[in-house]
């Protein structure tokens, strides 16, 4: 086989066979083809797309480019959750203990941030002494004993995806539905999930900007799941404003604790309960989503989910007293209150801008492997639909460096779009996609 033939075929709109995709991913992983040819192939895929069967074959080839975790020795159905990426998306930190408290095992491999948003692993590092790199045996043992473990995704999981993503990032080929679908599904399959729950984000702050594209991405991932025998459900959710109110690693740990206490952002809480309820259904713990939602709501208000979070932190070496004393989390030296100088209803909060401003402070990465300042970030005080006066605080910036504060503030302010009329707010949960049904809630 020759890579040039595959590039030309894809350029001309001819579908690849399973064998061709296996060959391509294998050759790329072993560095037997140069990056420039893979880059050309990625651009051809970007323009010509892939069929469902091609996307499924690409997914399996990427999953098989490294180790495939076998969690079958653990009791119960392992359901993994993945979000296509959002700002102030602290769901994993709430969901994992919540679902584990309901008796459903959570075996989670998480990443560091892709692009400017912090990843779950970055956030967990804000907890003093917390070990994000527990070995395979402790990972399995902790799930057995505590029903929950989270570890950094090892380099041996779907290595082709990491290599491909780095190339996509610098060749303008990230926003391709078959490439996003295969990237996400390959990692989940390699990490040993029996079933997969996807949170597909749609809106100005997400890769998918409109319902049609989000639906297409959801449908292809759900159908890959069916083809490879890993039942997959996708919940499509709005990203027209940051999900929670905290952006920044330490601040998001604090926000997760607030939500686990039944306080904090109502939107974040509702989304966690909704996603968790779908996970309980997939795991066979409850028969229907409403029952799951009610059960998880009780576990939140009884304190059981928070107790599970404390148990999980302790099991991975961390200091669980952060739950009662947030001062033990990394604290920025200064805070600044931001107002806009104009009054009106908030029509939109541009998530990408907020994320970028937080990255400028040091909460996210501007380049690969950049060390983070876990203490800094942004707390939002308002949501879309709120009326604000010209001198009213819309955000508090937690910072350590005066120059970075100025830069971040300049970036932050235009994220708030105001209007003289109260805007209509779209619901947070827009739809649910299963292999045999699409439910639309708006
Ligand atoms: N998240 C992923 O893991 N991969 C993509 O390609 C996009 C979002
Ligand atoms: Ca101050």
């Amino acid at each position: 086989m020759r890579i040039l033939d595959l590039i030309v075929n894809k350029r001309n709109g001819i579908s690849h066979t399973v064998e061709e995709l296996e060959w391509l991913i294998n050759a790329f992983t072993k560095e037997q083809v140069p990056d420039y040819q893979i880059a050309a192939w990625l651009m051809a895929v970007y323009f010509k797309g892939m069929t469902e069967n091609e996307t499924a074959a690409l997914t399996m080839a990427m999953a098989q480019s490294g180790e495939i975790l076998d969690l079958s020795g653990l009791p119960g159905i392992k359901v993994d959750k993945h979000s296509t990426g959002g700002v102030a998306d602290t769901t994993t930190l709430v969901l994992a203990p919540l679902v584990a408290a309901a008796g459903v095992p959570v075996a989670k491999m998480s990443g560091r941030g892709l692009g400017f948003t912090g990843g779950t692993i970055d956030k967990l590092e804000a907890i003093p002494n917390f070990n994000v790199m527990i070995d395979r045996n402790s990972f399995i043992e902790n799930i057995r004993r505590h029903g929950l473990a989270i570890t950094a995704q090892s380099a041996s999981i779907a290595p082709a995806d990491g290599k491909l993503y780095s190339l996509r990032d610098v060749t303008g080929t990230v926003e391709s539905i078959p490439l996003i679908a295969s990237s996400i599904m390959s990692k989940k399959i390699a990490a040993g999930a029996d079933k997969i729950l996807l949170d597909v984000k749609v809106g100005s702050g997400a890769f998918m900007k409109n319902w049609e594209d989000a639906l297409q991405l959801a449908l292809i991932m759900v159908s890959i799941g069916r083809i490879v025998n890993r039942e997959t459900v996708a919940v499509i959710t709005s990203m027209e404003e940051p999900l929670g109110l905290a952006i920044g690693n330490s601040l998001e740990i604090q926000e997760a604790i607030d939500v686990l206490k039944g306080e904090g952002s109502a939107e974040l809480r509702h989304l966690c309960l909704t996603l968790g309820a779908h996970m309980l259904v997939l795991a066979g713990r409850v028969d229907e989503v409403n029952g799951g939602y009610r059960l998880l709501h009780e576990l939140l208000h009884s304190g059981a989910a928070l107790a599970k979070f404390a148990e999980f932190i302790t099991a991975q070496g961390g200091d669980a007293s952060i739950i009662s004393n947030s001062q033990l989390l990394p604290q920025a030296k200064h805070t600044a209150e931001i107002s806009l100088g104009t009054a009106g209803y908030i029509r939109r909060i541009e998530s990408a801008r907020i994320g970028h401003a937080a990255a400028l402070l040091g909460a996210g990465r501007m380049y690969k492997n950049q060390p983070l300042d876990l203490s800094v970030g942004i707390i939002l005080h308002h949501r879309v639909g709120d009326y604000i006066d010209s001198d009213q605080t819309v955000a508090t910036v937690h910072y350590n460096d005066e120059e970075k504060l100025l830069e971040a503030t300049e970036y932050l302010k235009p994220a708030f779009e105001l209007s003289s009329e109260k805007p209509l707010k779209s619901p947070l949960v827009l739809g649910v996609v299963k292999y045999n049904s699409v439910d639309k809630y708006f």
Side-chain angles (χ1 to χ4, degrees):
M1 241 177 269
R2 288 199 317 159
I3 181 68
L4 179 58
D5 298 330
L6 299 193
I7 297 169
V8 170
N9 281 350
K10 184 45 72 181
R11 185 199 68 192
N12 293 343
I14 299 167
S15 295
H16 296 315
T17 63
V18 174
E19 292 72 28
E20 285 171 337
L21 288 163
E22 282 173 353
W23 177 84
L24 182 143
I25 290 301
N26 186 43
F28 176 55
T29 309
K30 293 187 179 147
E31 306 197 341
Q32 292 162 348
V33 292
D35 282 359
Y36 56 78
Q37 287 187 302
I38 297 296
W41 177 78
L42 285 169
M43 192 55 85
V45 171
Y46 179 91
F47 280 111
K48 295 294 179 173
M50 279 189 163
T51 65
E52 220 168 80
N53 284 328
E54 280 182 292
T55 311
L58 177 62
T59 301
M60 285 318 280
M62 297 209 307
Q64 283 156 359
S65 68
E67 180 188 12
I68 295 196
L69 217 62
D70 182 5
L71 299 176
S72 59
L74 289 167
I77 297 169
K78 272 69 65 185
V79 185
D80 206 347
K81 167 255 167 195
H82 192 86
S83 151
T84 59
V87 174
D89 190 348
T90 315
T91 48
T92 294
L93 293 170
V94 178
L95 255 183
L98 188 56
V99 169
V104 171
V106 178
K108 192 133 185 66
M109 288 210 161
S110 283
R112 295 189 184 277
L114 277 183
F116 54 67
T117 54
T120 299
I121 292 301
D122 298 315
K123 296 168 197 174
L124 285 170
E125 283 194 328
I127 300 172
N129 299 324
F130 189 93
N131 184 1
V132 297
M133 304 282 267
I134 52 175
D135 62 37
R136 198 56 50 81
N137 289 340
S138 316
F139 183 66
I140 303 280
E141 190 50 33
N142 281 10
I143 297 158
R144 205 184 295 281
R145 287 172 60 159
H146 307 287
L148 168 59
I150 302 181
T151 185
Q153 186 183 304
S154 86
S156 63
I157 296 292
D161 173 60
K163 278 172 69 70
L164 219 46
Y165 195 92
S166 300
L167 262 186
R168 287 166 59 204
D169 213 14
V170 293
T171 54
T173 51
V174 169
E175 296 91 344
S176 150
I177 287 176
L179 295 178
I180 294 174
S182 53
S183 166
I184 291 174
M185 294 298 284
S186 65
K187 281 178 286 204
K188 298 291 106 179
I189 291 165
D194 297 316
K195 301 194 179 189
I196 299 163
L197 179 72
L198 299 166
D199 178 7
V200 175
K201 305 283 190 192
V202 55
S204 58
F207 288 131
M208 298 297 120
K209 305 294 179 201
N210 57 58
W211 165 263
E212 287 70 27
D213 286 349
L215 180 60
Q216 209 193 326
L217 177 61
L219 285 167
I220 183 75
M221 292 195 286
V222 166
S223 103
I224 293 170
R226 187 156 171 81
I227 292 170
V228 305
N229 205 17
R230 305 288 209 293
E231 188 185 353
T232 300
V233 170
V235 180
I236 302 181
T237 67
S238 171
M239 243 298 143
E240 290 298 347
E241 63 183 332
L243 178 61
L245 295 170
I247 304 96
N249 300 283
S250 211
L251 298 173
E252 289 186 51
I253 294 282
Q254 181 58 52
E255 178 163 56
I257 293 168
D258 291 344
V259 173
L260 285 166
K261 285 179 175 166
E263 301 158 7
S265 155
E267 280 84 354
L268 181 56
R269 184 169 62 238
H270 174 56
L271 184 61
C272 290
L273 291 169
T274 303
L275 296 175
H278 282 281
M279 289 173 77
L280 298 195
V281 173
L282 280 168
R285 174 72 176 77
V286 296
D287 293 333
E288 40 90 40
V289 173
N290 289 339
Y293 194 100
R294 278 195 302 274
L295 171 62
L296 294 176
H297 191 268
E298 278 167 32
L299 294 170
L300 209 59
H301 288 276
S302 70
L306 189 64
K308 183 57 80 178
F309 190 54
E311 181 186 338
F312 153 71
I313 291 174
T314 306
Q316 290 193 219
D319 181 359
S321 52
I322 55 150
I323 290 173
S324 48
N325 182 4
S326 64
Q327 295 297 312
L328 296 172
L329 290 165
Q331 304 286 315
K333 286 198 216 70
H334 315 285
T335 57
E337 314 290 334
I338 308 298
S339 56
L340 301 178
T342 46
Y345 289 98
I346 300 178
R347 190 165 67 95
R348 203 157 83 91
I349 303 177
E350 204 187 320
S351 308
R353 245 181 202 282
I354 304 275
H356 198 92
L360 287 170
L361 292 167
R365 293 184 181 82
M366 313 295 283
Y367 55 88
K368 224 173 156 173
N369 299 329
Q370 183 183 353
L372 300 182
D373 181 344
L374 300 173
S375 69
V376 298
I378 299 165
I379 298 286
L380 303 174
H381 294 273
H382 291 282
R383 304 199 71 92
V384 168
D386 289 355
Y387 183 84
I388 51 156
D389 287 321
S390 60
D391 60 351
Q392 201 164 337
T393 299
V394 289
T396 301
V397 177
H398 293 242
Y399 69 101
N400 287 320
D401 178 315
E402 204 71 35
E403 217 165 289
K404 289 181 180 166
L405 168 69
L406 294 177
E407 222 183 327
T409 304
E410 202 177 312
Y411 217 87
L412 179 63
K413 285 185 173 180
F416 297 86
E417 284 177 24
L418 301 185
S419 86
S420 54
E421 275 154 54
K422 193 170 166 67
L424 284 174
K425 221 174 156 162
S426 68
L428 180 61
V429 179
L430 298 169
V432 175
V433 179
K434 299 181 185 170
Y435 78 90
N436 58 356
S437 66
V438 174
D439 292 324
K440 192 171 158 183
Y441 301 140
F442 63 99

